[in-house]
């Protein structure tokens, strides 16, 4: 209410925590989380006026250039890059849990061996190990800066109520992998050209990949200027009848997220530059999304998933082909082999930093 009283607009259609103050071509954009603020501006004078009003209402401190926010370290390079990393948080986890000394090239074993299943009640070790707290701690890393462990964390998170030593060893392997890769960080390039802020995404699925329920998994990544800014790995709610249907549902999941990012772009006065491309490696899925007809093999698909067709028709999205081996969303849907995992991982925007 204080920010609104000072002339800021709360962007409720995008995020209740985002406030923007505009005067002519000058602006101040504020992201609020409880009692933490992150502020960016193109007008020091307008910011100074806003700061005077806020500091009159609250006991607040300006720490200068943003270096730490919500546990994420932010550093700037001389080559106009910004690096986000949580190596300090990884160090905390290493001390908190008894992490074995081992070298792993991927957070989970590849193939069928790496897939976990439910254990018998007699095998449940319950609170004998800090399973729940370890998985909860890993979730924050997976959501914030470590896409490479997102799929693995989703796997172990399914067994927080009933887990055996096999599940606990899988958690320890993720922690050991983090110890080997503690310096991994996201590097963003500051926009210098119009296409540096290009918005795009990729989607993938693992059809019937859950050996117990036969449900499929969706994975998607959103990028701005080639930098990963959002990702998700999640089990699909229904039962896909084919790989095409599973990919179609994953494509819809990605499209809904991209739709929100397009709203954010408009709110921030950033240029969208036409339809947002979403990479998809399944030809049947691409044809289903671009065709308005019904087929015997797909007419059972729920209506909500067909919204992608209207968005494509109105120029919101464009589904573009990508080779299966080059689809970064594979990292979020399946146990890739160590070689494939490292290739996709190293070709992405993640870098290693020394702390």
């Amino acid at each position: 209410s204080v920010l609104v009283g000072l002339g800021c607009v709360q962007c409720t259609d995008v995020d209740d925590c985002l406030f923007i103050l505009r005067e002519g071509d000058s602006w101040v954009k504020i992201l609020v989380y409880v009692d933490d603020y992150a502020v960016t501006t193109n007008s020091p004078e307008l910011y100074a006026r806003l700061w005077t009003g806020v500091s009159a209402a609250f006991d607040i401190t300006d720490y200068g250039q943003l270096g730490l926010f919500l546990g994420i370290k932010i550093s700037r390079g001389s080559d106009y890059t910004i690096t986000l990393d949580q190596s300090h948080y990884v160090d905390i986890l290493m001390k908190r849990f008894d992490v074995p000394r081992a070298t792993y090239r991927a957070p989970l074993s590849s193939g069928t061996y790496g897939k976990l299943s439910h254990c018998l009640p007699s095998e449940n070790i319950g609170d004998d190990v800090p399973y729940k707290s370890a998985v909860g701690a890993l979730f924050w890393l997976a959501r914030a800066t470590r896409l490479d462990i997102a799929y693995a964390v989703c796997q172990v998170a399914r067994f927080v109520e009933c887990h055996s030593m096999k599940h606990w060893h899988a958690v320890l392997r993720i922690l050991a992998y983090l110890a080997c890769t503690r310096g991994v960080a996201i590097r963003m390039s500051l926009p210098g050209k119009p296409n540096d802020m290009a918005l795009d995404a990729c989607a993938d699925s693992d059809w019937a990949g859950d050996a117990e329920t036969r449900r499929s998994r969706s994975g998607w990544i959103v990028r701005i200027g080639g930098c990963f800014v959002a990702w998700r790995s999640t089990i699909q709610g229904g039962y896909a009848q084919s790989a095409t249907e599973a990919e179609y549902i994953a494509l819809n999941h990605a499209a809904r997220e991209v739709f929100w990012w397009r709203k954010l772009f408009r709110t921030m006065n950033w240029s969208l530059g036409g339809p947002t491309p979403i990479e998809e490696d399944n030809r049947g899925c691409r044809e289903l999304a671009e065709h308005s007809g019904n087929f015997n093999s797909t007419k059972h698909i729920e209506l909500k998933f067909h919204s992608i067709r209207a968005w494509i028709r109105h120029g919101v999205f464009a589904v573009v082909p990508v080779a299966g081996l080059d689809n970064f969303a594979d990292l979020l849907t399946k146990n890739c082999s160590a070689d494939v995992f490292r290739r996709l991982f190293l070709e992405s925007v993640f870098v290693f930093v020394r702390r």
Side-chain angles (χ1 to χ4, degrees):
S1 60
V2 172
L3 290 174
V4 172
L6 292 171
C8 296
V9 175
Q10 186 175 15
C11 305
T12 53
D13 59 330
V14 175
D15 195 315
D16 289 341
C17 297
L18 177 63
F19 295 80
I20 300 178
L21 174 63
R22 286 193 173 97
E23 285 188 7
D25 294 332
S26 301
W27 48 259
V28 180
K29 298 171 183 177
I30 309 164
L31 191 62
V32 181
Y33 185 80
V34 191
D35 58 352
D36 289 327
Y37 286 51
V39 183
T40 181
T41 182
N42 68 347
S43 171
E45 296 80 10
L46 184 60
Y47 170 71
R49 286 209 325 263
L50 179 64
W51 174 258
T52 301
V54 173
S55 58
F58 302 106
D59 182 13
I60 191 170
T61 303
D62 184 348
Y63 290 102
Q65 191 175 73
L66 191 65
L68 182 69
F69 191 65
L70 303 182
I72 301 172
K73 285 188 176 180
I74 303 160
S75 55
R76 292 161 180 80
S78 57
D79 54 348
Y80 299 99
T81 58
I82 295 178
T83 302
L84 310 178
D85 88 276
Q86 292 178 286
S87 56
H88 62 292
Y89 185 64
V90 173
D91 292 337
I92 292 172
L93 296 186
M94 297 306 105
K95 296 177 181 178
R96 182 178 173 186
F97 304 103
D98 188 15
V99 180
R101 292 186 177 182
T103 301
Y104 294 112
R105 299 175 62 201
L108 281 181
S109 301
S110 62
T112 305
Y113 179 77
K115 292 188 176 181
L116 301 172
S117 57
H118 285 86
C119 64
L120 296 173
S122 59
E123 298 175 313
N124 184 19
I125 57 176
D127 295 331
D128 293 345
V129 295
Y131 193 94
K132 293 181 180 179
S133 58
V135 171
L138 289 170
F139 251 121
W140 172 232
L141 275 172
R143 291 293 299 274
T145 61
R146 296 298 299 263
L147 173 147
D148 52 321
I149 67 168
Y151 173 78
V153 174
C154 286
Q155 288 291 305
V156 297
R158 297 165 52 212
F159 309 103
V160 291
E161 295 301 329
C162 185
H163 43 267
S164 65
M165 286 305 299
K166 179 179 179 179
H167 301 111
W168 177 238
H169 288 154
V171 172
L172 290 177
R173 172 171 174 141
I174 298 173
L175 289 166
Y177 166 78
L178 287 173
C180 299
T181 59
R182 62 176 296 277
V184 167
I186 296 179
R187 177 165 293 173
M188 301 179 175
S189 297
L190 295 177
K193 301 176 182 178
N195 62 351
D196 287 346
M197 289 294 288
L199 178 68
D200 73 326
C202 56
D204 188 49
S205 76
D206 182 26
W207 177 44
D210 190 307
E212 293 182 312
T213 66
R214 309 310 295 172
R215 286 186 174 180
S216 306
R217 177 172 291 274
S218 292
W220 52 257
I221 299 170
V222 177
R223 298 172 293 212
I224 297 179
C227 178
F228 294 8
V229 295
W231 53 82
R232 187 66 55 83
S233 175
T234 182
I235 286 287
Q236 296 178 3
Y239 293 87
Q241 305 298 303
S242 64
T244 293
E245 182 180 348
E247 294 278 353
Y248 193 60
I249 294 172
L251 179 64
N252 180 272
H253 291 163
R256 287 186 297 177
E257 177 68 15
V258 172
F259 198 86
W260 180 87
W261 280 93
R262 288 178 62 91
K263 289 172 61 179
L264 179 63
F265 264 56
R266 288 191 292 269
T267 299
M268 304 291 275
N269 282 344
W270 297 338
S271 174
L272 282 166
T276 301
I278 303 178
E279 295 178 349
E280 172 56 53
D281 58 19
N282 184 285
R283 178 179 177 182
C285 173
R286 296 195 301 269
E287 293 179 349
L288 184 61
E290 295 168 351
H291 198 288
S292 60
N294 287 320
F295 308 95
N296 287 334
S297 59
T298 59
K299 61 185 180 182
H300 66 280
I301 296 177
E302 291 185 51
L303 181 62
K304 63 181 180 180
F305 297 121
H306 291 306
S307 56
I308 184 71
R309 291 176 170 176
W311 288 333
I312 291 173
R313 217 165 38 242
H314 290 96
V316 179
F317 304 117
V319 182
V320 298
V322 63
L325 292 176
D326 297 326
N327 191 345
F328 289 111
D330 262 7
L331 292 171
L332 300 170
T333 59
K334 52 185 70 73
N335 291 349
C336 300
S337 68
D339 290 338
V340 172
F341 179 88
R342 297 293 290 179
R343 180 179 60 81
L344 288 174
F345 181 60
L346 293 175
E347 287 179 5
S348 63
V349 296
F350 293 86
V351 296
F352 287 85
V353 295
R354 291 184 178 180
R355 294 294 183 189

